[in-house]
Amino acid sequence: MSVPGAVWLNGSLVSPDEAVVSVFDHGFTVGDGVFETIKVVGGRPFALRRHIERLHRSAQGLGLAAPLGDASLRAAVDAVVAAAGLDLARLRITLTAGVTPLGSGRGESEPTLVIAAGPLVPWPAETTAVTVPWPCNERSALAGVKMTSYAENVVALAEARKVGASEAIQPNTAGNLCEGTGSNVFVVQEGELLTPPLLAGCLAGVTRALVLELLPEADEANLAMAALAEADEV
């Protein structure tokens, strides 16, 4: 069965059915990679410049060198979006350390760069979220890096779905509010819009940054997990 969408793999457009990455790729064996996920509406990727900038920051945090400059990366994204031909799509850019010997050490190969687009199901206007006890480590050497190592997020989200929720909200090691498995968290308390600071360990979300820019009255603050239950809105 044909898979809808399109893929750009290390310099070439290929069909999703033919896109293949080596089983020795470090992104596959140990999760040594970074990524960005971008919403595409009407053939236009949302906030692409901001996503590319964050991809560079994440790559730098992991010690990876992006094989393309920004202009070439944008051209590759445009080619994938055009080839996918989807009005509403999810586009993902994945950069890994490439093919390496088995183990944690990196080899000398070129990095792997994949840009893939597939259908996106619209989100509902409202959803249900639950809290989970497993903390994000705000002291980690990779705090704030959007890594391909998402197994902890997978476990937390699976726990949420057991009770009919679509998101799991996590604390940090200090017990304060951190983030969701795929979202930043804002709360409204007594008319004030608040979100955890980046030093709390949360990812520097693109939409988070836009909200803070568009609403100067919004602020960053360390929030206890209890703030979720006390808030007027989350």
Side-chain angles (χ1 to χ4, degrees):
M1 189 174 89
S2 179
V3 178
V7 179
W8 187 97
L9 173 60
N10 290 334
S12 301
L13 272 174
V14 296
S15 73
D17 298 317
E18 298 172 345
V20 176
V21 175
S22 170
V23 295
F24 293 100
D25 192 284
H26 227 211
F28 175 76
T29 57
V30 298
D32 185 13
V34 297
F35 74 101
E36 287 291 319
T37 302
I38 304 159
K39 185 177 183 179
V40 178
V41 181
R44 296 187 63 184
F46 174 71
L48 181 59
R49 175 182 61 82
R50 292 173 182 263
H51 280 285
I52 289 176
E53 288 174 352
R54 189 174 61 181
L55 181 74
H56 286 309
R57 292 197 302 272
S58 293
Q60 184 177 22
L62 209 56
L64 295 175
L68 291 182
D70 287 1
S72 296
L73 185 56
R74 283 174 171 271
V77 166
D78 290 342
V80 170
V81 170
L86 299 168
D87 185 62
L88 183 62
R90 183 196 303 266
L91 184 135
R92 173 167 164 143
I93 305 172
T94 306
L95 173 67
T96 79
V99 175
T100 68
L102 292 173
S104 296
R106 288 178 178 156
E108 300 296 328
S109 68
E110 293 296 312
T112 297
L113 180 62
V114 180
I115 305 170
L120 175 64
V121 178
W123 287 8
E126 295 182 352
T127 190
T128 301
V130 297
T131 59
V132 291
W134 309 299
C136 302
N137 184 4
E138 73 277 16
R139 299 181 182 180
S140 168
L142 297 177
V145 173
K146 195 170 177 65
M147 305 176 292
T148 55
S149 304
Y150 252 46
E152 288 187 354
N153 301 57
V154 170
V155 170
L157 188 57
E159 194 69 16
R161 287 179 172 167
K162 287 179 184 178
V163 294
S166 65
E167 180 60 301
I169 299 176
Q170 300 168 282
N172 61 18
T173 62
N176 290 327
L177 177 62
C178 187
E179 62 184 354
T181 64
S183 58
N184 288 110
V185 182
F186 284 79
V187 301
V188 177
Q189 290 184 333
E190 299 179 353
E192 188 175 14
L193 183 64
L194 301 169
T195 192
L198 297 182
L199 287 176
C202 58
L203 189 70
V206 167
T207 300
R208 174 188 182 278
L210 286 169
V211 170
L212 290 173
E213 288 181 19
L214 292 170
L215 299 175
E217 65 273 23
D219 203 1
E220 297 175 298
N222 283 309
L223 299 163
M225 290 294 285
L228 293 170
E230 299 166 356
D232 299 315
E233 298 178 68
V234 178

